[in-house]
Structures are given as C-alpha cells and as structure tokens.
Amino acid sequence: MSRLLKIGTLAFPAWVLAASLIALREPGVFTWFRGPLIPLGLGLIMLGMGLTLEVADFRRVLRRPAPIGLGVVLQFLVMPLLGWSLAWAFGLPTGFAVGLILVSCCPGGVASNVISYLSLADVPASVSMTAVSTAVSVLMTPALTTLLAGSRVEVPAAGLLFDTFWVVILPIVTGLVLQRRFPRVTKAVLPAGPFVSVVLITLIVASIIGASREVILESGGSLLGAVFALHIGGFGLGYGLSRLLRRPEKTARTVAIEVGMQNSGLGVVLARQNFASPLVAVPSAMSSLTHSLIGSLLAGVWRLRPGEDR
C-alpha cells in the first residue's frame, strides 16, 4: 500500500493534466467540488504539510539561513515582478491580470517538495523554504497583490490577510501541534498525506477549469502563454541567480523549484473568496497544471545530471 501511495503521489502532474483535460470536455465531472469544499481542501493540504514539519526544521533554518533566505527573497521578488510584467505584456483582461498577479504573489507550494525529491535537490531545504515562505505570505501576499494589482481593481487586503491566516497558517500550526502531541497517530496517517494532497489539488484545479471552461476556450491562449512564461521565468531566474551568487548546484536546483512553483491552491481560494469576478481564480488553476508539468520535465533532466556537488 505504501508503495502504491508513493507511485500515485509521484504521478501528480499526470493526474492534474488528465483531470484538467476531462474538465474541459465534461465540466460536471469536477464542478461539484466547489464552494466551501475548496478552502476546506486547501486547509487539509496545509494540515498535512504541518504534520510533516518538526521544530527541528525551523532550527535548521537558523543554522543555514543563507540558502533558505535566498529562496524566500526570490520567491517574493522575482515572481511578483514577473506576474505584473507578463499581465501587461500579454494584454490580459482585468480578471486574468489580477489573477496572474495574485498567484505570482503566493508562497511556494507543497508540490515543490515532491519535485525537489524527484530532482535530486535538497528536500529538507525545500521543506524549510516552503514553510518560511508560507509563514511570510500572511503579510507579503496581501501587500504585494495590493501594490501590483491595486491600479486595476480594488484589492481587499484585509480579506486576503484574514483568509491566508485561516486556510494556511492555522492548519499548519495545528499539524505541528498534532505531530508533537500525538506522534503515533501522526506516524500512522503520514504515509497517506502526500497522496491525499495530490487528490485534493487535482480536484481544486479541475473544478476551477471546469467552471471556467467557456472563457478558457475563448481566450485561454494568451493566458496560457502568460502562465507558462511566469513559471519558466521563475524556474530559470531562481536557478540562474543562485548560480550567479555561487550557490552549489543542489541549492540552485532547490531554489529554482521553490521560486518556480507557487501555492496555486491558495491563489484559487483567495481569488474565490475575495474577488467578484470568477476570472481571477482561473490563472491559479492553470498555474498548478503548468508548474507541475515544467517541474516534472526538469526533474527528469536533472535526474540524468546529478550535479558536480553531489
């Protein structure tokens, strides 16, 4: 069973791609997953992430702050600027533009930890970067979205702050407490955690794509191009700037993955709960698909080239 769960987790990009294609053809297969189920699903994903963390992970950050700090700084510097620039360059409609900026201001996602494992990168550092960027996102995501998208539409910064806390920070802290207080129970459920996260992310993405099927088919070409450019730029700049700063190959790969992969599920929830236009959630849904495909491709290439510092 453990082996099957692991195989199912590693097939994450295939699940997302298949579900997205089905949602475009038969939306009803996935659109039932809507309303409160979406924030509940994301909360469970974040709870699962909390169960995998320990206090030692945060001590590791204090012992090795440079690579972790580099990943987090680039996460909230490179991606938001890319999101804002690409929304303008591709001439996206207001809803899509705000959605692209919103997802670019989100922290790294738990999928980055899976891709780091597949890429022979530094998994503990990846987990630490995700944890720190997620904690920082409570302030950074609302602030950056307001700064970069405020000229296009009224951005409810307080609502973004409130929802980020409830669907991200609270579940993660709960997971940390449960892991510390009930280690045996945690150990029993932990093997299924990553696969459950994969299923929930797939349902969230397919639901949004299915609900926005018509507008995606009508104007999805420019949006898809912008989303692909966002993540290719994130992976490329994360890796390139890390190597420019003379970081080891393993660290550069980890930073590239963390910068290039966003918590798209958080973007969906924030968009759905804080913006009137349903278009704002679409870039986040497409983001989950594109960064998973790009990350998986890079993982395949990097596994063939282990790196000189391994």
Side-chain angles (χ1 to χ4, degrees):
M1 178 60 71
S2 176
R3 183 174 177 81
L4 288 175
L5 289 172
K6 185 174 182 180
I7 292 173
T9 301
L10 297 181
F12 167 61
W15 296 126
V16 175
L17 177 59
S20 299
L21 293 175
I22 293 171
L24 285 174
R25 186 172 179 84
E26 297 291 340
V29 176
F30 294 103
T31 50
W32 60 270
F33 195 86
R34 61 181 185 270
L37 290 177
I38 292 179
L40 177 61
L42 180 63
L44 289 174
I45 292 170
M46 293 296 102
L47 176 64
M49 178 180 170
L51 290 174
T52 67
L53 297 174
E54 298 179 6
V55 176
D57 293 316
F58 296 96
R59 292 199 188 106
R60 188 185 304 114
V61 174
L62 297 177
R63 290 198 300 267
R64 298 176 53 207
I68 310 300
L70 176 63
V72 174
V73 168
L74 292 181
Q75 174 74 62
F76 290 111
L77 179 64
V78 169
M79 294 302 279
L81 290 177
L82 271 177
W84 179 85
S85 302
L86 291 168
W88 174 81
F90 279 81
L92 298 180
T94 298
F96 284 162
V98 174
L100 187 70
I101 291 170
L102 174 61
V103 74
S104 73
C105 295
C106 286
V110 291
S112 65
N113 308 144
V114 176
I115 299 299
S116 291
Y117 170 75
L118 294 176
S119 301
L120 303 178
D122 189 338
V123 177
S126 175
V127 171
S128 299
M129 288 179 195
T130 302
V132 174
S133 70
T134 300
V136 173
S137 72
V138 177
L139 296 176
M140 294 301 292
T141 297
L144 289 170
T145 304
T146 302
L147 175 66
L148 298 174
S151 62
R152 290 177 175 266
V153 67
E154 184 178 350
V155 177
L160 292 176
L161 178 63
F162 180 81
D163 289 332
T164 303
F165 175 81
W166 281 105
V167 301
V168 176
I169 300 302
L170 189 61
I172 286 180
V173 172
T174 301
L176 276 166
V177 172
L178 290 174
Q179 190 269 132
R180 192 171 182 83
R181 296 291 299 274
F182 306 100
R184 290 184 179 178
V185 177
T186 301
K187 188 176 181 179
V189 303
L190 206 54
F195 181 71
V196 171
S197 295
V198 165
V199 172
L200 291 171
I201 292 173
T202 301
L203 287 172
I204 291 172
V205 171
S207 171
I208 299 301
I209 288 179
S212 306
R213 175 181 181 273
E214 300 302 326
V215 70
I216 289 175
L217 293 178
E218 287 177 9
S219 56
S222 59
L223 176 61
L224 186 61
V227 173
F228 260 104
L230 174 69
H231 291 294
I232 290 173
F235 280 107
L237 289 171
Y239 181 85
L241 291 173
S242 296
R243 294 300 277 171
L244 189 65
L245 294 172
R246 300 183 181 278
R247 306 309 304 177
E249 174 72 15
K250 190 175 181 181
T251 299
R253 292 181 182 187
T254 308
V255 171
I257 294 165
E258 194 64 27
V259 174
M261 301 188 73
Q262 302 296 92
N263 189 336
S264 304
L266 175 61
V268 168
V269 171
L270 295 180
R272 277 297 182 91
Q273 298 190 175
N274 292 278
F275 295 91
S277 173
L279 300 184
V280 179
V282 177
S284 291
M286 297 181 73
S287 165
S288 183
L289 172 62
T290 54
H291 74 208
S292 300
L293 293 176
I294 297 169
S296 298
L297 178 62
L298 272 177
V301 173
W302 278 338
R303 285 190 75 86
L304 297 176
R305 299 175 56 249
E308 73 278 2
D309 56 307
R310 282 192 59 81

